[in-house]
Amino acid sequence: MSGIYFGIDVGGTSVKIGCFDGAGELVERREIPTRKGENGKYLFDDIAMAVLMQTVALGLKPSAIAGVGLGVPGPVLSDGFVETCVNLGVYDCYPAKEISERLGGVTVKLANDANVAALGEAMAGGAKGAASMAMITLGTGVGGGIVVDGKICVGAHGAAGEIGHLTVNPAETQRCNCGGRGCLEQYASATGVVRTARLLLAQSDAPGMLRGKLNLTAKDVFDAAKLGDELAGKAVDIMCDYLALAMSHVSLVSDPEVFIIGGGVSAAGEFLLEKLRTRYERLSPIMKRKAQVRAALLGNDAGIYGACRLVL
Amino acid sequence: MSGIYFGIDVGGTSVKIGCFDGAGELVERREIPTRKGENGKYLFDDIAMAVLMQTVALGLKPSAIAGVGLGVPGPVLSDGFVETCVNLGVYDCYPAKEISERLGGVTVKLANDANVAALGEAMAGGAKGAASMAMITLGTGVGGGIVVDGKICVGAHGAAGEIGHLTVNPAETQRCNCGGRGCLEQYASATGVVRTARLLLAQSDAPGMLRGKLNLTAKDVFDAAKLGDELAGKAVDIMCDYLALAMSHVSLVSDPEVFIIGGGVSAAGEFLLEKLRTRYERLSPIMKRKAQVRAALLGNDAGIYGACRLVL
């Protein structure tokens, strides 16, 4: 065996650790809890220890570790500096350097988790074979990542691919969590779809499947829309209008070959993708040929696949 | 002398030819008329001949030509294929290959003219030293180019950096030349500024400097705005609102270090840039640090500088 590679996705609750061979095939996958506090002291120790134990468990020596890639939930500057990862309690440090030191100088590379997930889908998932792509993750918030010529586009301030905060509705009066107004996230996240449905419910007395429902979820809205509920359909249409507009913006800036739609809300499947494609195709007539719109394939493993590709 | 490089900017009226040394310094600059027709036959001959003549005039042998870079007015696919350059009468060919054959196999590289101008400003102009930048050219239309990690971002369909056609006002009823509605170009081009001023003039009877003016130009509007004319100021504000919105979109996709504003309308100088900065800084609060907004420095020479950098 020529060497093994680790792809590590550091989340606020758990750290997913994938061990890959030189061909990028997943050999083994583990998960450890995220210990926060003391600016990553425990976290870095835990990660280095888990990597070493997994290597030994495979019957290999630590010298077999050819590289470690890490995805973290926060902006990463191009030199690997992390100013703040709120969810990890990590501030003003170079996490890759910390972990490399604990592994005897092994090559460790770092990137933002949304960007790493995009790289995973680009290299081994829904956009496999595409040189350029954009990933949009529709979860509690809306995340994004841009891959250009097979590499993550980080940006000068670590903000490239922050698709969720594109201003898609300058007329919005309510504020987004980021402090802005009219961000994509306010309409296309799970929270956003529910918010839109609630606003529509408040605007009329018309009966419908969602009326009187407690703890309304994005899934409820999509399920009702699929069954033909008018108000739910309208909430989904509003989401798709804004998301397609944001996709047209991305296309005219980085012009990806493929859009990958992931995250919990993307469980709505072809029902959602077809609505998106129709709207996206109508926009930006200057582009004769447009990007394909596909579903994410790797789910929660996108991060470990992408992190591994940082060093593979 | 180790070798010379040519940067060539092919326009609809003339071809600008810059000869550079190995350090990227401009040695000499010439211009020849653009002969159209027969799918570039004359044009390719003329360019190759001019390159050879300029080389010989410098007392060098043709073998001293180390590389030729070309910018053309139309989309260029990543393999160098040009489907259509309307202004040149060139269709379905590989211009770089054509010119290389006429120069005995010299390396010739090709890119879109707006992208090449962006690369010129990135390497030798207003964004010199920045790894990533975006250029916005405010002329008859609005052009754009994106540079990521020192390289032009071409995109999967040659449409990356088509900033002029970002939909900034989905509520627009009039169509853009591209067939879309609410494109940036409808507000931020020279034509767009005049169009906005005319719309405002038609909406009221209030007196002002622009009323009754024949052949209104963008310069007239900016000059009046600088002198405090209310209606002209409003037209400029509308332009800046939409342009800043488009810049915030670019920032959240490719996150450039610097925006370079060029083209005829940018002659309005700091008056325009300051209005842009104020608006752009207010948008996208998720970005704590934002791109600088600077004026283009190379003017009409940006193309030859950038084209040269394709091969230097």
Side-chain angles (χ1 to χ4, degrees):
Chain A
M1 198 166 197
S2 66
I4 52 171
Y5 297 81
F6 285 88
I8 303 180
D9 186 6
V10 187
T13 311
S14 72
V15 181
K16 295 182 195 72
I17 302 175
C19 177
F20 295 81
D21 65 19
E25 292 295 325
L26 183 62
V27 175
E28 205 183 55
R29 189 185 177 291
R30 291 190 183 187
E31 202 158 333
I32 59 172
T34 304
R35 278 205 293 166
K36 300 172 195 176
E38 299 222 12
N39 209 11
K41 188 180 172 301
Y42 307 124
L43 179 63
F44 300 147
D45 283 351
D46 288 354
I47 290 174
M49 185 58 74
V51 164
L52 286 172
M53 283 173 62
Q54 201 161 337
T55 305
V56 171
L58 287 166
L60 296 168
K61 290 181 181 163
S63 60
I65 306 171
V68 175
L70 278 162
V72 294
V76 177
L77 297 187
S78 52
D79 64 350
F81 186 71
V82 168
E83 224 165 39
T84 168
C85 275
V86 182
N87 293 338
L88 304 181
V90 167
Y91 304 93
D92 297 317
C93 66
Y94 293 89
K97 196 168 146 270
E98 295 284 343
I99 291 171
S100 176
E101 281 171 7
R102 287 164 171 81
L103 292 173
V106 165
T107 301
V108 182
K109 289 197 179 161
L110 186 74
N112 168 265
D113 60 353
N115 288 338
V116 156
L119 189 62
E121 288 288 346
M123 292 303 192
K128 194 172 172 175
S132 64
M133 58 85 77
M135 177 155 182
I136 307 180
T137 306
L138 309 170
T140 316
V142 172
I146 308 281
V147 172
V148 172
D149 292 335
K151 287 201 304 203
I152 293 169
C153 179
V154 178
H157 317 86
E162 278 284 3
I163 299 170
H165 298 281
L166 283 167
T167 305
V168 290
N169 179 19
E172 177 66 58
T173 53
Q174 290 187 25
R175 283 200 185 277
C176 175
N177 287 330
C178 75
R181 283 199 181 90
C183 293
L184 175 64
E185 184 164 298
Q186 289 181 274
Y187 313 95
S189 62
T191 333
V193 175
V194 170
R195 173 180 161 273
T196 302
R198 283 197 205 287
L199 283 172
L200 293 172
L201 282 166
Q203 279 166 20
S204 85
D205 288 324
M209 294 179 189
L210 304 181
R211 193 157 300 280
K213 204 167 175 79
L214 296 171
N215 302 321
L216 191 64
T217 66
K219 186 173 183 304
D220 294 334
V221 178
F222 272 96
D223 286 348
K226 285 179 186 174
L227 293 170
D229 182 78
E230 199 177 324
L231 186 144
K234 203 169 164 192
V236 170
D237 284 350
I238 289 172
M239 170 199 175
C240 291
D241 284 344
Y242 286 125
L243 185 47
L245 179 62
M247 287 160 62
S248 84
H249 294 341
V250 174
S251 284
L252 292 174
V253 179
S254 73
D255 184 17
E257 192 174 331
V258 184
F259 278 102
I260 295 294
I261 311 294
V265 179
S266 73
E270 273 301 314
F271 177 75
L272 169 65
L273 295 185
E274 213 29 61
K275 279 176 183 287
L276 276 181
R277 283 186 199 110
T278 314
R279 286 164 171 78
Y280 167 66
E281 287 291 335
R282 264 202 303 258
L283 290 161
S284 320
I286 189 111
M287 291 188 75
K288 304 298 172 224
R289 282 173 296 175
K290 293 206 173 71
Q292 294 177 45
V293 183
R294 296 190 207 147
L297 286 186
L298 299 175
N300 288 331
D301 281 349
I304 59 171
Y305 274 92
C308 161
R309 296 293 172 148
L310 292 174
V311 286
L312 193 66
Chain B
M1 198 166 194
S2 65
I4 51 170
Y5 297 82
F6 285 88
I8 303 180
D9 186 6
V10 187
T13 311
S14 72
V15 180
K16 295 181 195 73
I17 303 175
C19 177
F20 295 83
D21 64 19
E25 294 295 325
L26 184 62
V27 175
E28 205 184 55
R29 189 185 177 291
R30 292 193 183 186
E31 203 160 330
I32 59 171
T34 304
R35 278 206 292 166
K36 300 172 196 175
E38 299 222 13
N39 209 11
K41 188 179 173 301
Y42 307 123
L43 180 63
F44 300 148
D45 284 350
D46 288 352
I47 290 174
M49 185 59 73
V51 164
L52 287 172
M53 283 172 61
Q54 202 160 337
T55 305
V56 171
L58 286 165
L60 297 168
K61 289 182 182 160
S63 60
I65 306 171
V68 176
L70 275 163
V72 294
V76 177
L77 297 186
S78 52
D79 64 350
F81 186 70
V82 167
E83 223 166 39
T84 167
C85 276
V86 182
N87 294 338
L88 304 181
V90 167
Y91 304 93
D92 297 317
C93 68
Y94 293 89
K97 196 168 147 272
E98 295 284 343
I99 290 172
S100 176
E101 281 171 7
R102 287 164 171 79
L103 291 173
V106 165
T107 302
V108 182
K109 288 195 179 162
L110 186 74
N112 167 266
D113 59 353
N115 287 338
V116 155
L119 188 62
E121 288 288 345
M123 292 304 192
K128 193 174 173 176
S132 64
M133 59 85 78
M135 176 154 183
I136 307 180
T137 306
L138 308 171
T140 316
V142 173
I146 308 279
V147 172
V148 172
D149 292 334
K151 287 201 304 202
I152 293 169
C153 178
V154 178
H157 316 87
E162 277 285 4
I163 298 170
H165 298 282
L166 284 167
T167 305
V168 290
N169 179 19
E172 177 65 59
T173 52
Q174 290 188 25
R175 284 199 185 276
C176 175
N177 288 331
C178 75
R181 281 199 183 90
C183 293
L184 176 64
E185 185 164 298
Q186 289 181 274
Y187 313 96
S189 62
T191 333
V193 175
V194 170
R195 173 179 161 273
T196 302
R198 283 199 204 285
L199 284 172
L200 293 172
L201 283 166
Q203 279 165 21
S204 85
D205 287 324
M209 295 180 190
L210 303 181
R211 193 157 302 280
K213 205 167 174 75
L214 295 171
N215 302 321
L216 192 64
T217 66
K219 187 172 183 305
D220 295 333
V221 179
F222 273 95
D223 287 348
K226 285 178 186 174
L227 293 170
D229 182 79
E230 198 177 324
L231 187 144
K234 203 169 165 191
V236 171
D237 284 351
I238 289 172
M239 170 200 176
C240 291
D241 284 344
Y242 286 125
L243 184 48
L245 179 62
M247 287 162 62
S248 84
H249 294 341
V250 174
S251 284
L252 292 174
V253 179
S254 73
D255 185 16
E257 191 173 331
V258 183
F259 278 102
I260 295 296
I261 311 294
V265 180
S266 73
E270 274 300 313
F271 178 76
L272 168 65
L273 295 186
E274 213 29 60
K275 280 177 183 284
L276 277 181
R277 285 187 197 109
T278 314
R279 287 164 171 78
Y280 166 67
E281 288 292 334
R282 265 203 303 259
L283 290 161
S284 320
I286 189 110
M287 291 187 75
K288 304 298 173 225
R289 281 173 296 174
K290 293 206 172 73
Q292 293 177 45
V293 183
R294 297 190 206 145
L297 286 185
L298 299 176
N300 288 330
D301 280 349
I304 59 172
Y305 274 93
C308 160
R309 295 293 172 147
L310 293 174
V311 286
L312 192 65

